[in-house]
Amino acid sequence: MEPDLSALDAYLDDAGVDGYLIDADSEASDQYYLSGFDAPDPFITLYDGDTHLLFPRSLEFGRAKRESRAETVERYVDFDHQGKVEEYGPDEAVSHVLADFLAAYDVDSVAVPPRFPLRTADGLRERGVNVAADTDGIVTEIRATKTQTEIDHIRTAQRANEAAMQAAESLLEAAEIAADDTLEVDGETLTSERVKEEIEVTLLRHGCSLDETIVACGADAADPHDRGSGPLVAHEPVIIDIFPQDKTTKYHADMTRTFVKGKPSDAVREWYDLTERAMEAAFDALEPGATGKDVHDAVCDVYEDAGEPTLRDDERTETGFIHSTGHGVGLDVHELPQLSPNGGDLEPGHIVTIEPGLYDPDVGGVRIEDIAVVTADGYENLTDYEVRLVV
C-alpha cells in the first residue's frame, strides 16, 4: 500500500517547514502509516518528500531495509553515536545524532504530531532545529481516507468479526434457561467471560486478535463501555461489541449486536425497533458531501421524535442516546471522521461505524452497529450479518 501523501506535502509547504518528524513505535498508527514498518520499539521517521528511517540500534535495521517503504534506513551508529556519547554523555548524544541525521537531508525545521516526546523536541531545539507542533494531526487526517487496499483489509477483518459474532450468538442460542433465569450450556453457567473466550479463540483462528471486547448483560449493558462480567441472564438484553484487529495488516473492524435469550420486555422490544429505525435514518443520510453532524442529527431526530432523551436535546442526560452515532475505523478502532455534533465533511473512502443505541439501568441497553465505506454515490455496507433480537 502506497499512501497518497500529497496533502502532507501541501501541509509542509503551508507550514514553511522542511519535514515531518515522528518519534514513536509502530503502535502509534501515524508512525506505522508513514513509515510502512512494524516495530515494537520507538524509532524515527522523517518525511521530506521522501521517507527516511533512523533506528537507535541495529536490531531492526536489516528487516526495515527489506520491509519498509523508506528511501533510506540508517542507525545511530551511522552518525557516530558512540563518539557523541563520549563527548556529550549518553542523554545529550541522542539529540546530536538526530540533528546530524536531519542535517544530512538539509532539514533544519520540522513539524511534529500532536503527541511527540518533549525530550526529543527540546533536544533538537537546543541543536538549533525549529520544531513546530502540528496540532491538527495532518497524518491522522490523511489516514481517514482509505485506499482500495485498506478497504479490502477492513473487509477481511470484518469477515473475521462476523465469524466471532456467530460463535457468540450460537452459544446464546444453545443455552438453556435455568430456574433462576441464568443461562446454562452443558450444565455450566454461561458467563460473559465464557462468551468472550469463544470470541477471542474464533478471532485467532481467523488471523485477528483484540485486547478487549464487550459482552454486557442487563444493567451492565446500560453503560456503553462496560465490558460486562459474570453470569448471563435470560430475558435481558446482552450487548456484544467486537472490534478486532487483523494481525497481519493491523486494520480493524467493528460490529455490535444486541440479543435476548428468552422473552424481551416490551421496553427492550420497543427500543430495539426504534434503534433499527435510527440506523436506517443514519444510512439514509450517509453520502459524500454530507457531514458527520448530518448523520448524527438523523439519529437524534428519530429518538427525540419518539420521546427518548439524547445528548443533543439535553447535554446532562444520563439515559437515552448518550454517545455519538459513529466514528472512523482503520489502523485505530476509533479514528477520523466523527459522526457526532462536530462531525465534518464525509468523503469517498471514509470508513465509519453506524451505532445508535439507548441506555437506562432500569431497562438495560440496546445497540446495533454496522461498518460502511462512503462511496462516490452513497455508501457500501461492509457488514454482512443479520440484525435480530431474540435468539
Side-chain angles (χ1 to χ4, degrees):
M1 178 194 70
E2 289 291 338
D4 180 0
L5 298 177
S6 56
L8 181 55
D9 295 326
Y11 172 85
L12 296 179
D13 288 342
D14 290 344
V17 295
D18 300 325
Y20 200 91
L21 195 70
I22 298 180
D23 179 3
D25 62 39
S26 60
E27 288 299 307
S29 294
D30 286 357
Q31 172 69 298
Y32 180 70
Y33 187 84
L34 196 58
S35 69
F37 185 65
D38 187 9
D41 297 318
F43 61 99
I44 296 291
T45 296
L46 168 67
Y47 178 80
D48 64 352
D50 292 324
T51 302
H52 310 281
L53 305 186
L54 178 68
F55 291 88
R57 295 172 294 280
S58 297
L59 181 64
E60 303 286 6
F61 181 62
R63 188 167 65 88
K65 287 196 294 183
R66 295 191 306 272
E67 297 179 6
S68 76
R69 293 189 304 269
E71 278 72 25
T72 66
V73 178
E74 295 165 293
R75 302 157 294 178
Y76 281 15
V77 67
D78 299 317
F79 295 91
D80 189 26
H81 178 236
Q82 187 55 43
K84 290 177 171 61
V85 169
E86 294 170 0
E87 183 173 357
Y88 304 109
D91 294 335
E92 194 174 338
V94 173
S95 63
H96 284 272
V97 166
L98 297 186
D100 285 356
F101 167 67
L102 296 178
Y105 300 101
D106 297 322
V107 170
D108 58 22
S109 59
V110 292
V112 299
R115 292 182 179 273
F116 187 84
L118 182 60
R119 179 176 177 176
T120 304
D122 284 348
L124 286 174
R125 287 169 178 149
E126 289 172 5
R127 308 281 79 77
V129 178
N130 178 36
V131 180
D134 163 27
T135 55
D136 292 331
I138 181 62
V139 178
T140 302
E141 291 180 5
I142 292 169
R143 289 198 291 112
T145 302
K146 306 300 189 288
T147 65
Q148 186 57 54
T149 298
E150 290 176 293
I151 294 169
D152 290 342
H153 289 337
I154 293 169
R155 195 191 308 274
T156 298
Q158 180 56 24
R159 297 291 84 81
N161 197 354
E162 290 158 9
M165 186 67 77
Q166 183 60 67
E169 183 179 352
S170 295
L171 270 178
L172 291 174
E173 200 166 22
E176 301 290 338
I177 301 175
D180 62 356
D181 280 345
T182 58
L183 300 183
E184 292 184 350
V185 172
D186 296 331
E188 295 187 359
T189 300
L190 182 62
T191 63
S192 171
E193 290 78 6
R194 173 67 183 88
V195 176
K196 291 176 188 176
E197 178 186 279
E198 192 69 21
I199 289 169
E200 292 184 24
V201 167
T202 303
L203 287 173
L204 283 172
R205 289 172 177 158
H206 287 78
C208 290
S209 63
L210 78 173
D211 293 327
E212 295 280 356
T213 193
I214 294 173
V215 180
C217 180
D220 287 349
D223 180 339
H225 281 168
D226 192 315
R227 299 310 198 224
S229 62
L232 301 180
V233 180
H235 320 304
E236 297 281 352
V238 179
I239 290 180
I240 301 180
D241 187 348
I242 311 174
F243 32 96
Q245 183 182 41
D246 187 285
K247 293 166 72 69
T248 299
T249 69
K250 299 176 75 73
Y251 282 81
H252 290 80
D254 200 358
M255 179 173 62
T256 304
R257 291 294 184 265
T258 302
F259 302 112
V260 172
K261 176 70 175 184
K263 183 179 180 181
S265 67
D266 291 343
V268 168
R269 172 68 75 179
E270 181 181 346
W271 276 15
Y272 197 86
D273 292 344
L274 190 57
T275 296
E276 280 196 273
R277 285 171 45 204
M279 173 174 269
E280 290 170 3
F283 275 118
D284 286 345
L286 185 65
E287 61 183 0
T291 66
K293 181 180 185 301
D294 294 334
V295 180
H296 181 66
D297 283 343
V299 170
C300 291
D301 288 344
V302 171
Y303 283 142
E304 290 170 15
D305 288 348
E308 298 294 343
T310 73
L311 288 175
R312 184 183 73 171
D313 184 57
D314 176 7
E315 64 182 13
R316 301 180 66 85
T317 187
E318 297 180 15
T319 61
F321 183 40
I322 53 176
H323 53 72
S324 63
T325 293
H327 53 84
V329 177
L331 290 171
D332 292 323
V333 73
H334 292 95
E335 61 181 46
L336 294 176
Q338 299 176 359
L339 306 186
S340 70
N342 300 314
D345 292 341
L346 297 172
E347 302 174 2
H350 283 172
I351 290 185
V352 295
T353 65
I354 302 289
E355 48 181 309
L358 291 170
Y359 311 88
D360 187 326
D362 292 336
V363 178
V366 167
R367 183 167 69 254
I368 309 170
E369 177 186 19
D370 283 358
I371 186 172
V373 57
V374 179
T375 63
D377 56 0
Y379 68 89
E380 178 192 354
N381 193 331
L382 302 179
T383 311
D384 183 17
Y385 199 91
E386 181 182 6
V387 175
R388 67 166 178 158
L389 175 60
V390 179
V391 296

